[in-house]
Amino acid sequence: MTEATTNANKAKTAKRTASPFGMPDYGMPKLGMPKFDLPNMEMPEAFRGMAEKGVAQAKDNYQKIQAAAEEATDLLKSAYATAAKGTTDYNRKVIEIAGTNAQAALDYAYELLGVKSPSEFIDLSTAHARKQFEAMTAQTKELTELAQKVTTEIAAKDWRHGDTKSHKVA
């Protein structure tokens, strides 16, 4: 008798686990969306024409916007490429200048080893300071010209039309 009762309970439970998640169904009714029959109405020709014209204008505007966005993207890519190349050139020049200055400092230290008197030390130090000041002035001028060149190349683009300006920015 116990087996018959157990089998009956298992059968009831099996019927209730119809959910895809393994949860019992508990016999809840399944409600679907009600179906409403809409009357078949003909759209007046004037409305249809206006709708088609609106869709055509929207497609045309989308194509124009897409073309403008692609052009702007190309201009930005060009500007970034120019800036990256300019930055690389600038960094190379800074490294070159650092090497030159390091060599000048080593040469100065080597010359200091041969100094025999305070007056010779002062003369050597004054000459070295003057030479380094002149070198620093020339190096600063080179770096400024390089930075201006890159800036001019980037600014030479007319961003509104994508054309290169005919005049150079000084």
Side-chain angles (χ1 to χ4, degrees):
M1 183 106 177
T2 342
E3 287 181 27
T5 310
T6 308
N7 288 337
N9 286 340
K10 284 183 183 177
K12 287 180 184 177
T13 307
K15 289 180 186 175
R16 291 188 182 148
T17 58
S19 171
F21 302 109
M23 301 294 294
D25 190 13
Y26 295 115
M28 295 294 291
K30 297 188 183 201
L31 302 174
M33 274 303 275
K35 295 182 180 177
F36 296 108
D37 289 330
L38 295 175
N40 288 337
M41 291 182 9
E42 279 296 316
M43 181 80 84
E45 189 62 36
F47 289 134
R48 183 175 294 134
M50 286 176 25
E52 289 174 358
K53 187 185 287 186
V55 168
Q57 285 177 343
K59 285 181 181 179
D60 185 46
N61 289 339
Y62 174 76
Q63 289 173 350
K64 287 178 183 177
I65 290 170
Q66 186 177 14
E70 287 173 0
E71 184 178 336
T73 300
D74 291 342
L75 288 172
L76 286 174
K77 283 180 184 178
S78 172
Y80 283 129
T82 303
K85 182 187 176 305
T87 302
T88 301
D89 293 345
Y90 189 88
N91 288 338
R92 284 185 182 153
K93 182 55 89 174
V94 167
I95 291 170
E96 177 186 322
I97 288 170
T100 302
N101 291 342
Q103 186 62 46
L106 289 174
D107 291 344
Y108 175 63
Y110 182 74
E111 290 173 1
L112 282 177
L113 293 175
V115 169
K116 307 244 189 268
S117 68
S119 63
E120 194 178 343
F121 172 76
I122 291 174
D123 289 342
L124 183 62
S125 296
T126 304
H128 176 71
R130 184 178 311 114
K131 189 167 84 172
Q132 282 305 107
F133 183 75
E134 289 170 0
M136 182 186 70
T137 304
Q139 292 165 351
T140 303
K141 183 179 178 185
E142 287 178 42
L143 290 174
T144 302
E145 288 172 355
L146 189 57
Q148 285 177 344
K149 176 185 168 200
V150 172
T151 304
T152 301
E153 287 176 7
I154 292 171
K157 288 285 185 184
D158 186 351
W159 297 103
R160 294 169 291 171
H161 305 293
D163 300 328
T164 302
K165 292 180 182 176
S166 59
H167 63 280
K168 290 276 185 179
V169 179

